[in-house]
Amino acid sequence: MVDVDNWIKADWPAPAGIYAGTTLRHGGISRQPFGSFNLASHVGDDLHYVEHNRKQLIKTLGLPQQPLWLNQQHTTRVINADQSTQQPIADASFTLSTGVVCAVLTADCLPILLCDEQGKQLAAVHAGWRGLLNGIIEKTVATFQHKPILAWLGPAISQQAFEIGEEVRSAFVAHSNQVECAFLKGRAGKWHANLYQLATMRLHCSGVTNVYGGSFCTFNEQKRFYSYRKSGQTGRMASLIWKQ
């Protein structure tokens, strides 16, 4: 795979042969408000454009095959990509095989890519606040047969831009009062949640201490990323991981 302009390569010490990263919003043919490299088929974009972009993704990144696209519904379901067909209802997938591409689609939620230090197992996780709260990280990590595990946190909304209600904060704190530091007081009855920090704490509690990435903001970097909170109807980036 060669470096490309519409791709952020994961900056982590993954084993040789592991490829991972996140696409950017430019470089495709989708029209506004999906301009231009939208890879999601569920957001109202012309499916002809989406299919073109997906084919372009495979060609540009030199993917060994079509990614396993998930029907993401903020669940905690983790599926084995080696045994799945396209569009299973799930918010994470893992593979033990060479040539299988795990992928998640995001536009503010946090994409997490995982691999063990031997490169035997890989996973992609879609982690919005609901998934984080309900244990999508823990369930994905539990599928790993080999450890230690590396994690890369892809582009997500920053704490400054991510406003949530008291009920969301209370639910996280009820799970663990150690996460209070991940919330900053906002306007009346509101808080600003740090998805990166919440995910890192959950990863650490699951035994994953080698965590990389986490320095992006989809909301404030609109020239590079899609942001649902910023735009409402918009496209999705793909975060992908595979070995070959």
Side-chain angles (χ1 to χ4, degrees), residues 182-229:
F183 299 92
L184 293 177
K185 188 71 174 177
R187 58 194 175 94
K190 300 295 183 180
W191 296 82
H192 290 271
N194 190 328
L195 280 179
Y196 289 125
Q197 188 174 4
L198 289 168
T200 298
M201 295 176 78
R202 290 287 185 119
L203 286 163
H204 285 178
C205 288
S206 299
V208 181
T209 58
N210 299 310
V211 182
Y212 304 87
S215 60
F216 310 97
C217 179
T218 50
F219 187 92
N220 291 320
E221 298 180 70
Q222 277 224 290
K223 289 185 178 180
R224 305 174 74 199
F225 307 124
Y226 294 111
S227 172
Y228 179 79
R229 286 223 169 190

mmCIF file of all heavy atoms in Angstrom, residues 182-229:
data_model
loop_
_atom_site.group_PDB
_atom_site.id
_atom_site.type_symbol
_atom_site.label_atom_id
_atom_site.label_comp_id
_atom_site.label_asym_id
_atom_site.label_seq_id
_atom_site.Cartn_x
_atom_site.Cartn_y
_atom_site.Cartn_z
ATOM 1 N N ALA A 182 -13.159 12.951 33.059
ATOM 2 C CA ALA A 182 -13.368 13.001 31.612
ATOM 3 C C ALA A 182 -14.503 13.944 31.224
ATOM 4 O O ALA A 182 -14.845 14.035 30.045
ATOM 5 C CB ALA A 182 -13.654 11.602 31.078
ATOM 6 N N PHE A 183 -15.077 14.643 32.201
ATOM 7 C CA PHE A 183 -16.190 15.547 31.938
ATOM 8 C C PHE A 183 -15.876 16.946 32.455
ATOM 9 O O PHE A 183 -15.386 17.105 33.566
ATOM 10 C CB PHE A 183 -17.473 15.037 32.595
ATOM 11 C CG PHE A 183 -17.904 13.687 32.091
ATOM 12 C CD1 PHE A 183 -17.494 12.533 32.743
ATOM 13 C CD2 PHE A 183 -18.709 13.574 30.976
ATOM 14 C CE1 PHE A 183 -17.885 11.282 32.289
ATOM 15 C CE2 PHE A 183 -19.101 12.325 30.509
ATOM 16 C CZ PHE A 183 -18.691 11.176 31.168
ATOM 17 N N LEU A 184 -16.191 17.937 31.633
ATOM 18 C CA LEU A 184 -16.049 19.330 32.029
ATOM 19 C C LEU A 184 -17.425 19.983 32.049
ATOM 20 O O LEU A 184 -18.238 19.754 31.146
ATOM 21 C CB LEU A 184 -15.136 20.081 31.054
ATOM 22 C CG LEU A 184 -13.659 19.680 31.033
ATOM 23 C CD1 LEU A 184 -12.923 20.471 29.958
ATOM 24 C CD2 LEU A 184 -13.012 19.883 32.391
ATOM 25 N N LYS A 185 -17.672 20.799 33.070
ATOM 26 C CA LYS A 185 -18.951 21.480 33.207
ATOM 27 C C LYS A 185 -19.161 22.448 32.063
ATOM 28 O O LYS A 185 -18.264 23.229 31.709
ATOM 29 C CB LYS A 185 -18.990 22.235 34.537
ATOM 30 C CG LYS A 185 -20.344 22.830 34.893
ATOM 31 C CD LYS A 185 -21.356 21.767 35.273
ATOM 32 C CE LYS A 185 -22.653 22.377 35.769
ATOM 33 N NZ LYS A 185 -23.675 21.357 36.078
ATOM 34 N N GLY A 186 -20.362 22.402 31.460
ATOM 35 C CA GLY A 186 -20.709 23.322 30.393
ATOM 36 C C GLY A 186 -21.814 24.262 30.828
ATOM 37 O O GLY A 186 -21.895 24.640 32.002
ATOM 38 N N ARG A 187 -22.678 24.630 29.898
ATOM 39 C CA ARG A 187 -23.806 25.481 30.251
ATOM 40 C C ARG A 187 -24.782 24.704 31.133
ATOM 41 O O ARG A 187 -24.589 23.510 31.363
ATOM 42 C CB ARG A 187 -24.486 26.009 28.993
ATOM 43 C CG ARG A 187 -25.000 24.950 28.053
ATOM 44 C CD ARG A 187 -25.337 25.542 26.683
ATOM 45 N NE ARG A 187 -25.723 24.502 25.742
ATOM 46 C CZ ARG A 187 -26.979 24.134 25.500
ATOM 47 N NH1 ARG A 187 -27.977 24.715 26.143
ATOM 48 N NH2 ARG A 187 -27.250 23.202 24.605
ATOM 49 N N ALA A 188 -25.791 25.355 31.624
ATOM 50 C CA ALA A 188 -26.691 24.770 32.618
ATOM 51 C C ALA A 188 -27.180 23.379 32.223
ATOM 52 O O ALA A 188 -27.782 23.202 31.162
ATOM 53 C CB ALA A 188 -27.885 25.698 32.836
ATOM 54 N N GLY A 189 -26.884 22.401 33.079
ATOM 55 C CA GLY A 189 -27.334 21.038 32.851
ATOM 56 C C GLY A 189 -26.574 20.278 31.802
ATOM 57 O O GLY A 189 -26.961 19.156 31.437
ATOM 58 N N LYS A 190 -25.486 20.845 31.300
ATOM 59 C CA LYS A 190 -24.720 20.211 30.230
ATOM 60 C C LYS A 190 -23.269 19.985 30.654
ATOM 61 O O LYS A 190 -22.738 20.670 31.523
ATOM 62 C CB LYS A 190 -24.758 21.066 28.954
ATOM 63 C CG LYS A 190 -26.155 21.300 28.397
ATOM 64 C CD LYS A 190 -26.786 20.005 27.916
ATOM 65 C CE LYS A 190 -28.146 20.254 27.304
ATOM 66 N NZ LYS A 190 -28.791 19.009 26.814
ATOM 67 N N TRP A 191 -22.653 19.015 29.994
ATOM 68 C CA TRP A 191 -21.253 18.682 30.230
ATOM 69 C C TRP A 191 -20.563 18.459 28.891
ATOM 70 O O TRP A 191 -21.210 18.208 27.884
ATOM 71 C CB TRP A 191 -21.136 17.413 31.085
ATOM 72 C CG TRP A 191 -21.703 17.554 32.458
ATOM 73 C CD1 TRP A 191 -23.020 17.449 32.825
ATOM 74 C CD2 TRP A 191 -20.968 17.839 33.646
ATOM 75 N NE1 TRP A 191 -23.161 17.654 34.175
ATOM 76 C CE2 TRP A 191 -21.910 17.886 34.711
ATOM 77 C CE3 TRP A 191 -19.626 18.053 33.940
ATOM 78 C CZ2 TRP A 191 -21.540 18.140 36.021
ATOM 79 C CZ3 TRP A 191 -19.255 18.294 35.246
ATOM 80 C CH2 TRP A 191 -20.195 18.345 36.276
ATOM 81 N N HIS A 192 -19.239 18.535 28.917
ATOM 82 C CA HIS A 192 -18.442 18.218 27.737
ATOM 83 C C HIS A 192 -17.663 16.933 28.027
ATOM 84 O O HIS A 192 -16.869 16.877 28.970
ATOM 85 C CB HIS A 192 -17.489 19.368 27.391
ATOM 86 C CG HIS A 192 -18.197 20.585 26.879
ATOM 87 N ND1 HIS A 192 -18.463 20.775 25.542
ATOM 88 C CD2 HIS A 192 -18.735 21.652 27.534
ATOM 89 C CE1 HIS A 192 -19.106 21.911 25.389
ATOM 90 N NE2 HIS A 192 -19.291 22.466 26.576
ATOM 91 N N ALA A 193 -17.937 15.918 27.214
ATOM 92 C CA ALA A 193 -17.349 14.595 27.441
ATOM 93 C C ALA A 193 -16.128 14.383 26.556
ATOM 94 O O ALA A 193 -16.118 14.769 25.380
ATOM 95 C CB ALA A 193 -18.381 13.507 27.169
ATOM 96 N N ASN A 194 -15.122 13.743 27.112
ATOM 97 C CA ASN A 194 -13.894 13.438 26.391
ATOM 98 C C ASN A 194 -13.932 11.973 25.953
ATOM 99 O O ASN A 194 -13.605 11.069 26.736
ATOM 100 C CB ASN A 194 -12.684 13.710 27.287
ATOM 101 C CG ASN A 194 -11.377 13.650 26.527
ATOM 102 O OD1 ASN A 194 -11.243 12.896 25.568
ATOM 103 N ND2 ASN A 194 -10.398 14.432 26.971
ATOM 104 N N LEU A 195 -14.367 11.735 24.724
ATOM 105 C CA LEU A 195 -14.469 10.366 24.220
ATOM 106 C C LEU A 195 -13.118 9.657 24.237
ATOM 107 O O LEU A 195 -13.033 8.475 24.573
ATOM 108 C CB LEU A 195 -15.017 10.363 22.787
ATOM 109 C CG LEU A 195 -16.524 10.510 22.594
ATOM 110 C CD1 LEU A 195 -16.848 10.510 21.100
ATOM 111 C CD2 LEU A 195 -17.273 9.394 23.294
ATOM 112 N N TYR A 196 -12.087 10.389 23.872
ATOM 113 C CA TYR A 196 -10.749 9.786 23.852
ATOM 114 C C TYR A 196 -10.335 9.322 25.250
ATOM 115 O O TYR A 196 -9.798 8.228 25.431
ATOM 116 C CB TYR A 196 -9.726 10.786 23.325
ATOM 117 C CG TYR A 196 -9.826 11.077 21.854
ATOM 118 C CD1 TYR A 196 -9.965 12.384 21.399
ATOM 119 C CD2 TYR A 196 -9.763 10.058 20.910
ATOM 120 C CE1 TYR A 196 -10.034 12.665 20.033
ATOM 121 C CE2 TYR A 196 -9.833 10.331 19.550
ATOM 122 C CZ TYR A 196 -9.972 11.633 19.117
ATOM 123 O OH TYR A 196 -10.041 11.904 17.775
ATOM 124 N N GLN A 197 -10.580 10.154 26.241
ATOM 125 C CA GLN A 197 -10.205 9.796 27.606
ATOM 126 C C GLN A 197 -11.061 8.651 28.138
ATOM 127 O O GLN A 197 -10.550 7.725 28.776
ATOM 128 C CB GLN A 197 -10.329 11.016 28.526
ATOM 129 C CG GLN A 197 -9.767 10.788 29.925
ATOM 130 C CD GLN A 197 -9.782 12.059 30.762
ATOM 131 O OE1 GLN A 197 -10.269 13.099 30.330
ATOM 132 N NE2 GLN A 197 -9.246 11.992 31.962
ATOM 133 N N LEU A 198 -12.358 8.694 27.874
ATOM 134 C CA LEU A 198 -13.244 7.619 28.311
ATOM 135 C C LEU A 198 -12.833 6.286 27.699
ATOM 136 O O LEU A 198 -12.794 5.254 28.377
ATOM 137 C CB LEU A 198 -14.690 7.944 27.938
ATOM 138 C CG LEU A 198 -15.358 9.074 28.729
ATOM 139 C CD1 LEU A 198 -16.666 9.482 28.059
ATOM 140 C CD2 LEU A 198 -15.608 8.638 30.178
ATOM 141 N N ALA A 199 -12.505 6.309 26.403
ATOM 142 C CA ALA A 199 -12.082 5.081 25.728
ATOM 143 C C ALA A 199 -10.745 4.581 26.268
ATOM 144 O O ALA A 199 -10.566 3.373 26.483
ATOM 145 C CB ALA A 199 -11.978 5.322 24.225
ATOM 146 N N THR A 200 -9.822 5.503 26.498
ATOM 147 C CA THR A 200 -8.508 5.102 27.016
ATOM 148 C C THR A 200 -8.639 4.465 28.389
ATOM 149 O O THR A 200 -7.985 3.452 28.688
ATOM 150 C CB THR A 200 -7.570 6.320 27.077
ATOM 151 O OG1 THR A 200 -7.383 6.844 25.753
ATOM 152 C CG2 THR A 200 -6.226 5.943 27.659
ATOM 153 N N MET A 201 -9.493 5.014 29.231
ATOM 154 C CA MET A 201 -9.692 4.452 30.563
ATOM 155 C C MET A 201 -10.314 3.059 30.485
ATOM 156 O O MET A 201 -9.921 2.149 31.214
ATOM 157 C CB MET A 201 -10.558 5.395 31.401
ATOM 158 C CG MET A 201 -9.893 6.731 31.677
ATOM 159 S SD MET A 201 -10.943 7.913 32.566
ATOM 160 C CE MET A 201 -10.805 7.270 34.231
ATOM 161 N N ARG A 202 -11.264 2.878 29.585
ATOM 162 C CA ARG A 202 -11.865 1.557 29.402
ATOM 163 C C ARG A 202 -10.838 0.560 28.859
ATOM 164 O O ARG A 202 -10.804 -0.607 29.269
ATOM 165 C CB ARG A 202 -13.060 1.653 28.448
ATOM 166 C CG ARG A 202 -14.278 2.379 29.009
ATOM 167 C CD ARG A 202 -15.005 1.551 30.058
ATOM 168 N NE ARG A 202 -16.234 2.187 30.512
ATOM 169 C CZ ARG A 202 -17.450 1.658 30.386
ATOM 170 N NH1 ARG A 202 -17.610 0.479 29.817
ATOM 171 N NH2 ARG A 202 -18.509 2.288 30.840
ATOM 172 N N LEU A 203 -10.007 1.014 27.933
ATOM 173 C CA LEU A 203 -8.953 0.150 27.396
ATOM 174 C C LEU A 203 -7.976 -0.265 28.494
ATOM 175 O O LEU A 203 -7.612 -1.439 28.617
ATOM 176 C CB LEU A 203 -8.214 0.861 26.266
ATOM 177 C CG LEU A 203 -8.965 0.971 24.934
ATOM 178 C CD1 LEU A 203 -8.328 2.025 24.044
ATOM 179 C CD2 LEU A 203 -9.004 -0.378 24.222
ATOM 180 N N HIS A 204 -7.548 0.701 29.294
ATOM 181 C CA HIS A 204 -6.628 0.393 30.387
ATOM 182 C C HIS A 204 -7.229 -0.615 31.352
ATOM 183 O O HIS A 204 -6.544 -1.559 31.789
ATOM 184 C CB HIS A 204 -6.256 1.678 31.123
ATOM 185 C CG HIS A 204 -5.288 2.545 30.381
ATOM 186 N ND1 HIS A 204 -4.860 3.768 30.861
ATOM 187 C CD2 HIS A 204 -4.667 2.376 29.189
ATOM 188 C CE1 HIS A 204 -4.018 4.301 30.006
ATOM 189 N NE2 HIS A 204 -3.884 3.488 28.979
ATOM 190 N N CYS A 205 -8.504 -0.439 31.671
ATOM 191 C CA CYS A 205 -9.173 -1.377 32.591
ATOM 192 C C CYS A 205 -9.289 -2.765 31.982
ATOM 193 O O CYS A 205 -9.421 -3.760 32.713
ATOM 194 C CB CYS A 205 -10.552 -0.854 32.967
ATOM 195 S SG CYS A 205 -10.515 0.566 34.086
ATOM 196 N N SER A 206 -9.234 -2.844 30.655
ATOM 197 C CA SER A 206 -9.300 -4.133 29.962
ATOM 198 C C SER A 206 -7.914 -4.723 29.712
ATOM 199 O O SER A 206 -7.790 -5.756 29.048
ATOM 200 C CB SER A 206 -10.037 -3.972 28.627
ATOM 201 O OG SER A 206 -11.355 -3.517 28.838
ATOM 202 N N GLY A 207 -6.875 -4.049 30.208
ATOM 203 C CA GLY A 207 -5.518 -4.551 30.057
ATOM 204 C C GLY A 207 -4.788 -4.043 28.834
ATOM 205 O O GLY A 207 -3.671 -4.481 28.549
ATOM 206 N N VAL A 208 -5.400 -3.094 28.103
ATOM 207 C CA VAL A 208 -4.757 -2.526 26.910
ATOM 208 C C VAL A 208 -4.136 -1.191 27.307
ATOM 209 O O VAL A 208 -4.832 -0.183 27.441
ATOM 210 C CB VAL A 208 -5.772 -2.336 25.765
ATOM 211 C CG1 VAL A 208 -5.067 -1.773 24.523
ATOM 212 C CG2 VAL A 208 -6.479 -3.641 25.445
ATOM 213 N N THR A 209 -2.839 -1.184 27.500
ATOM 214 C CA THR A 209 -2.148 0.022 27.969
ATOM 215 C C THR A 209 -1.363 0.730 26.865
ATOM 216 O O THR A 209 -0.909 1.850 27.063
ATOM 217 C CB THR A 209 -1.194 -0.323 29.125
ATOM 218 O OG1 THR A 209 -0.258 -1.310 28.682
ATOM 219 C CG2 THR A 209 -1.973 -0.870 30.313
ATOM 220 N N ASN A 210 -1.207 0.074 25.728
ATOM 221 C CA ASN A 210 -0.498 0.675 24.602
ATOM 222 C C ASN A 210 -1.514 1.337 23.680
ATOM 223 O O ASN A 210 -2.029 0.729 22.749
ATOM 224 C CB ASN A 210 0.299 -0.391 23.840
ATOM 225 C CG ASN A 210 1.352 -1.052 24.708
ATOM 226 O OD1 ASN A 210 2.134 -0.376 25.358
ATOM 227 N ND2 ASN A 210 1.352 -2.381 24.739
ATOM 228 N N VAL A 211 -1.815 2.613 23.975
ATOM 229 C CA VAL A 211 -2.866 3.341 23.270
ATOM 230 C C VAL A 211 -2.251 4.523 22.523
ATOM 231 O O VAL A 211 -1.502 5.317 23.107
ATOM 232 C CB VAL A 211 -3.957 3.834 24.243
ATOM 233 C CG1 VAL A 211 -5.064 4.556 23.483
ATOM 234 C CG2 VAL A 211 -4.528 2.661 25.039
ATOM 235 N N TYR A 212 -2.596 4.659 21.248
ATOM 236 C CA TYR A 212 -2.017 5.695 20.393
ATOM 237 C C TYR A 212 -3.145 6.482 19.717
ATOM 238 O O TYR A 212 -4.302 6.104 19.758
ATOM 239 C CB TYR A 212 -1.107 5.053 19.340
ATOM 240 C CG TYR A 212 -0.023 4.209 19.954
ATOM 241 C CD1 TYR A 212 -0.264 2.864 20.259
ATOM 242 C CD2 TYR A 212 1.221 4.743 20.274
ATOM 243 C CE1 TYR A 212 0.720 2.073 20.848
ATOM 244 C CE2 TYR A 212 2.214 3.968 20.865
ATOM 245 C CZ TYR A 212 1.951 2.632 21.149
ATOM 246 O OH TYR A 212 2.917 1.863 21.742
ATOM 247 N N GLY A 213 -2.783 7.606 19.080
ATOM 248 C CA GLY A 213 -3.768 8.438 18.398
ATOM 249 C C GLY A 213 -4.527 9.321 19.380
ATOM 250 O O GLY A 213 -4.050 9.637 20.470
ATOM 251 N N GLY A 214 -5.726 9.744 18.967
ATOM 252 C CA GLY A 214 -6.569 10.522 19.860
ATOM 253 C C GLY A 214 -6.319 12.012 19.848
ATOM 254 O O GLY A 214 -6.635 12.692 20.827
ATOM 255 N N SER A 215 -5.815 12.553 18.754
ATOM 256 C CA SER A 215 -5.477 13.984 18.725
ATOM 257 C C SER A 215 -6.263 14.753 17.664
ATOM 258 O O SER A 215 -5.837 15.814 17.223
ATOM 259 C CB SER A 215 -3.983 14.157 18.464
ATOM 260 O OG SER A 215 -3.606 13.583 17.215
ATOM 261 N N PHE A 216 -7.406 14.203 17.257
ATOM 262 C CA PHE A 216 -8.174 14.814 16.177
ATOM 263 C C PHE A 216 -9.453 15.464 16.710
ATOM 264 O O PHE A 216 -9.849 15.234 17.842
ATOM 265 C CB PHE A 216 -8.551 13.757 15.135
ATOM 266 C CG PHE A 216 -7.407 12.913 14.662
ATOM 267 C CD1 PHE A 216 -7.172 11.663 15.223
ATOM 268 C CD2 PHE A 216 -6.565 13.349 13.658
ATOM 269 C CE1 PHE A 216 -6.117 10.865 14.796
ATOM 270 C CE2 PHE A 216 -5.506 12.563 13.215
ATOM 271 C CZ PHE A 216 -5.285 11.319 13.796
ATOM 272 N N CYS A 217 -10.120 16.234 15.844
ATOM 273 C CA CYS A 217 -11.474 16.720 16.155
ATOM 274 C C CYS A 217 -12.278 16.807 14.865
ATOM 275 O O CYS A 217 -12.032 17.678 14.028
ATOM 276 C CB CYS A 217 -11.468 18.075 16.845
ATOM 277 S SG CYS A 217 -13.171 18.652 17.199
ATOM 278 N N THR A 218 -13.226 15.907 14.712
ATOM 279 C CA THR A 218 -14.048 15.896 13.510
ATOM 280 C C THR A 218 -14.909 17.146 13.400
ATOM 281 O O THR A 218 -15.175 17.626 12.295
ATOM 282 C CB THR A 218 -14.941 14.639 13.503
ATOM 283 O OG1 THR A 218 -15.613 14.527 14.771
ATOM 284 C CG2 THR A 218 -14.118 13.390 13.271
ATOM 285 N N PHE A 219 -15.338 17.683 14.511
ATOM 286 C CA PHE A 219 -16.221 18.852 14.523
ATOM 287 C C PHE A 219 -15.488 20.099 14.045
ATOM 288 O O PHE A 219 -16.038 20.901 13.276
ATOM 289 C CB PHE A 219 -16.758 19.069 15.942
ATOM 290 C CG PHE A 219 -17.809 20.139 16.048
ATOM 291 C CD1 PHE A 219 -19.154 19.824 15.934
ATOM 292 C CD2 PHE A 219 -17.470 21.461 16.287
ATOM 293 C CE1 PHE A 219 -20.139 20.800 16.040
ATOM 294 C CE2 PHE A 219 -18.435 22.447 16.395
ATOM 295 C CZ PHE A 219 -19.780 22.116 16.269
ATOM 296 N N ASN A 220 -14.269 20.294 14.485
ATOM 297 C CA ASN A 220 -13.522 21.510 14.184
ATOM 298 C C ASN A 220 -12.621 21.410 12.962
ATOM 299 O O ASN A 220 -12.080 22.419 12.508
ATOM 300 C CB ASN A 220 -12.675 21.914 15.395
ATOM 301 C CG ASN A 220 -13.520 22.400 16.553
ATOM 302 O OD1 ASN A 220 -14.501 23.117 16.359
ATOM 303 N ND2 ASN A 220 -13.167 21.997 17.766
ATOM 304 N N GLU A 221 -12.457 20.205 12.421
ATOM 305 C CA GLU A 221 -11.597 20.011 11.248
ATOM 306 C C GLU A 221 -12.449 19.572 10.062
ATOM 307 O O GLU A 221 -12.248 18.506 9.493
ATOM 308 C CB GLU A 221 -10.518 18.981 11.546
ATOM 309 C CG GLU A 221 -9.557 19.380 12.661
ATOM 310 C CD GLU A 221 -8.503 18.324 12.926
ATOM 311 O OE1 GLU A 221 -7.606 18.136 12.069
ATOM 312 O OE2 GLU A 221 -8.570 17.654 13.978
ATOM 313 N N GLN A 222 -13.379 20.411 9.658
ATOM 314 C CA GLN A 222 -14.349 20.014 8.638
ATOM 315 C C GLN A 222 -13.783 19.895 7.237
ATOM 316 O O GLN A 222 -14.396 19.262 6.381
ATOM 317 C CB GLN A 222 -15.516 20.990 8.640
ATOM 318 C CG GLN A 222 -16.548 20.642 9.702
ATOM 319 C CD GLN A 222 -17.965 20.756 9.161
ATOM 320 O OE1 GLN A 222 -18.422 21.854 8.899
ATOM 321 N NE2 GLN A 222 -18.639 19.638 8.992
ATOM 322 N N LYS A 223 -12.635 20.469 6.996
ATOM 323 C CA LYS A 223 -12.018 20.292 5.687
ATOM 324 C C LYS A 223 -11.476 18.876 5.514
ATOM 325 O O LYS A 223 -11.290 18.424 4.381
ATOM 326 C CB LYS A 223 -10.891 21.314 5.493
ATOM 327 C CG LYS A 223 -11.385 22.748 5.319
ATOM 328 C CD LYS A 223 -10.240 23.685 5.010
ATOM 329 C CE LYS A 223 -10.745 25.103 4.782
ATOM 330 N NZ LYS A 223 -9.646 26.051 4.485
ATOM 331 N N ARG A 224 -11.247 18.197 6.633
ATOM 332 C CA ARG A 224 -10.689 16.840 6.577
ATOM 333 C C ARG A 224 -11.718 15.763 6.890
ATOM 334 O O ARG A 224 -11.677 14.669 6.329
ATOM 335 C CB ARG A 224 -9.530 16.710 7.570
ATOM 336 C CG ARG A 224 -8.434 17.723 7.399
ATOM 337 C CD ARG A 224 -7.416 17.608 8.524
ATOM 338 N NE ARG A 224 -6.567 16.444 8.374
ATOM 339 C CZ ARG A 224 -5.857 15.912 9.354
ATOM 340 N NH1 ARG A 224 -5.946 16.403 10.574
ATOM 341 N NH2 ARG A 224 -5.079 14.882 9.134
ATOM 342 N N PHE A 225 -12.655 16.090 7.818
ATOM 343 C CA PHE A 225 -13.541 15.067 8.359
ATOM 344 C C PHE A 225 -15.011 15.422 8.210
ATOM 345 O O PHE A 225 -15.388 16.592 8.158
ATOM 346 C CB PHE A 225 -13.245 14.868 9.853
ATOM 347 C CG PHE A 225 -11.821 14.587 10.182
ATOM 348 C CD1 PHE A 225 -11.134 15.394 11.092
ATOM 349 C CD2 PHE A 225 -11.144 13.522 9.602
ATOM 350 C CE1 PHE A 225 -9.809 15.131 11.413
ATOM 351 C CE2 PHE A 225 -9.822 13.263 9.912
ATOM 352 C CZ PHE A 225 -9.154 14.069 10.818
ATOM 353 N N TYR A 226 -15.850 14.382 8.204
ATOM 354 C CA TYR A 226 -17.293 14.560 8.330
ATOM 355 C C TYR A 226 -17.641 14.722 9.805
ATOM 356 O O TYR A 226 -17.019 14.109 10.671
ATOM 357 C CB TYR A 226 -18.037 13.345 7.781
ATOM 358 C CG TYR A 226 -17.899 13.135 6.296
ATOM 359 C CD1 TYR A 226 -17.183 12.045 5.793
ATOM 360 C CD2 TYR A 226 -18.497 14.006 5.396
ATOM 361 C CE1 TYR A 226 -17.070 11.833 4.427
ATOM 362 C CE2 TYR A 226 -18.385 13.809 4.021
ATOM 363 C CZ TYR A 226 -17.672 12.710 3.548
ATOM 364 O OH TYR A 226 -17.552 12.516 2.192
ATOM 365 N N SER A 227 -18.656 15.541 10.087
ATOM 366 C CA SER A 227 -19.126 15.711 11.455
ATOM 367 C C SER A 227 -20.645 15.769 11.458
ATOM 368 O O SER A 227 -21.237 16.711 10.919
ATOM 369 C CB SER A 227 -18.564 16.989 12.081
ATOM 370 O OG SER A 227 -19.177 17.249 13.338
ATOM 371 N N TYR A 228 -21.272 14.783 12.052
ATOM 372 C CA TYR A 228 -22.727 14.749 12.135
ATOM 373 C C TYR A 228 -23.246 15.880 13.009
ATOM 374 O O TYR A 228 -24.242 16.526 12.692
ATOM 375 C CB TYR A 228 -23.177 13.391 12.685
ATOM 376 C CG TYR A 228 -24.675 13.282 12.824
ATOM 377 C CD1 TYR A 228 -25.469 13.030 11.711
ATOM 378 C CD2 TYR A 228 -25.285 13.438 14.059
ATOM 379 C CE1 TYR A 228 -26.854 12.933 11.830
ATOM 380 C CE2 TYR A 228 -26.663 13.347 14.188
ATOM 381 C CZ TYR A 228 -27.445 13.095 13.064
ATOM 382 O OH TYR A 228 -28.801 13.006 13.191
ATOM 383 N N ARG A 229 -22.574 16.145 14.120
ATOM 384 C CA ARG A 229 -23.018 17.209 15.020
ATOM 385 C C ARG A 229 -22.917 18.584 14.359
ATOM 386 O O ARG A 229 -23.712 19.471 14.630
ATOM 387 C CB ARG A 229 -22.201 17.195 16.313
ATOM 388 C CG ARG A 229 -22.572 16.053 17.238
ATOM 389 C CD ARG A 229 -22.652 16.520 18.668
ATOM 390 N NE ARG A 229 -23.251 15.511 19.535
ATOM 391 C CZ ARG A 229 -23.610 15.718 20.781
ATOM 392 N NH1 ARG A 229 -23.444 16.924 21.312
ATOM 393 N NH2 ARG A 229 -24.147 14.771 21.495
#
